[in-house]
Amino acid sequence: LARTSAGADSAAALARTGSAAALARTSAGVDSSAAPARTGSAAALVHSGSAARWLTCLSAIRLRMYGEIGNVLNASSLLPGPLVYMDPAFHRNVGDNMLVAGTYALFAHLGWDLNNLAICRGPQSKNRGLACGFRSDKSWSPAPGLDGAAIARTRLIVYHPGGNWGDLYPEVHVPRLKQMLTLLKDFDDKVIVSLPQSLKYKGVPDDVLVEYKGRPMKKMLAHAFILGKAVERCHSLGCRLIFMWRQESSLAIARVIYPFATNLLVPDIAFSLGPFIPEFSDSI
């Protein structure tokens, strides 16, 4: 999938696995038999109470993330249908590449068929993946074949997680907002989900209030107003915006400027990766 949908050499982490499914198995601990060899014996790792507590904490965070996101992505009203993954990060940033790996692991854990995953290109994907009907000006137009069908056949559209919601990376955020607006305008039933993000506008304090009148706040309110109007138009027909945030400060700001969306506090997708408790359950 990484080679055909996203293009060869899309990310080193993906390329080494050979397939998204293999990546998901490795990330989820299915292929974790080599872990004790790398870290020493499982018993040695969990011998101290602090290590056991650390692993238990990681497991609890992961389960919470699976539950929160699973409640959204596996809602009966969205099934069956293909899963559209918008703009995965295939650029040269290892942290973002790991979020792609974590997202694949999440999808696999929730039971989504990775062979039925449509990857739609965007600024972060470096033109790898399907055009999905988006033209160069970021607007959407019906297209024959798989490109247009990927969007048209599904209700569920999932945007890549990360830390680029705001004006720190406008080259990513502005096209994303334009895509979301176009999808809400051109379709009446799309459920658009943004996986856990961090929200930051330069010059805006994290404890921002509605009364804040700085220029960044005006920019936030402007695009929020347009998105809100689009949701108001199609809400009765089934469209939804669901924004997930990985920090309480981001959630607090989002609740102010996106009251028309469902805003959720969800752990970072990176928690899909790493050590898993079942590997050491006998010792613990």
Side-chain angles (χ1 to χ4, degrees):
L1 176 63
R3 290 194 298 272
T4 57
S5 297
D9 301 324
S10 58
L14 296 179
R16 286 195 297 271
T17 64
S19 70
L23 174 64
R25 288 196 302 272
T26 302
S27 301
V30 176
D31 295 336
S32 59
S33 57
R38 290 195 301 270
T39 61
S41 69
L45 180 63
V46 299
H47 179 69
S48 69
S50 60
R53 288 192 295 273
W54 179 73
L55 290 171
T56 301
C57 181
L58 284 179
S59 179
I61 294 172
R62 184 178 296 112
L63 289 175
R64 177 186 168 188
M65 180 196 65
Y66 286 159
E68 294 275 4
I69 300 179
N71 287 340
V72 173
L73 299 192
N74 286 350
S76 59
S77 60
L78 302 179
L79 303 173
L83 179 65
V84 174
Y85 182 14
M86 297 293 296
D87 196 22
F90 294 138
H91 51 71
R92 294 181 181 273
N93 182 300
V94 174
D96 287 332
N97 298 157
M98 294 304 289
L99 290 178
V100 176
T103 300
Y104 279 128
L106 168 73
F107 291 158
H109 176 85
L110 296 180
W112 286 90
D113 181 5
L114 295 178
N115 294 315
N116 196 28
L117 179 67
I119 295 179
C120 292
R121 70 178 64 142
Q124 300 177 96
S125 65
K126 297 301 180 181
N127 290 321
R128 297 182 175 101
L130 306 171
C132 292
F134 285 101
R135 301 194 300 265
S136 59
D137 61 358
K138 306 301 184 294
S139 60
W140 191 91
S141 62
L146 186 58
D147 277 9
I151 294 291
R153 287 187 300 125
T154 185
R155 287 196 64 206
L156 183 60
I157 299 172
V158 180
Y159 276 83
H160 183 68
N164 52 31
W165 192 284
D167 63 357
L168 296 180
Y169 302 93
E171 68 278 8
V172 174
H173 187 55
V174 172
R176 175 172 52 217
L177 294 176
K178 289 183 177 180
Q179 284 182 344
M180 288 182 176
L181 182 61
T182 299
L183 290 167
L184 291 171
K185 286 182 175 180
D186 289 1
F187 299 95
D188 294 326
D189 66 340
K190 299 306 179 192
V191 176
I192 300 174
V193 178
S194 175
L195 292 176
Q197 275 276 355
S198 293
L199 185 157
K200 183 64 180 178
Y201 278 78
K202 289 177 286 188
V204 179
D206 287 343
D207 58 348
V208 65
L209 301 176
V210 174
E211 291 78 14
Y212 188 86
K213 300 300 182 183
R215 184 169 175 267
M217 188 61 167
K218 290 181 180 179
K219 288 195 296 183
M220 281 194 286
L221 293 177
H223 82 249
F225 178 80
I226 297 172
L227 282 175
K229 285 296 183 182
V231 172
E232 182 180 318
R233 181 194 65 81
C234 64
H235 188 271
S236 63
L237 301 173
C239 76
R240 298 287 187 276
L241 278 178
I242 301 174
F243 295 155
M244 299 180 182
W245 309 101
R246 60 188 187 178
Q247 293 158 306
E248 291 183 354
S249 57
S250 296
L251 175 67
I253 298 173
R255 283 175 170 169
V256 172
I257 60 178
Y258 304 120
F260 49 83
T262 299
N263 293 285
L264 302 172
L265 183 64
V266 179
D268 196 301
I269 291 294
F271 285 103
S272 290
L273 308 173
F276 276 65
I277 286 295
E279 194 174 306
F280 312 110
S281 58
D282 291 342
S283 298
I284 294 177

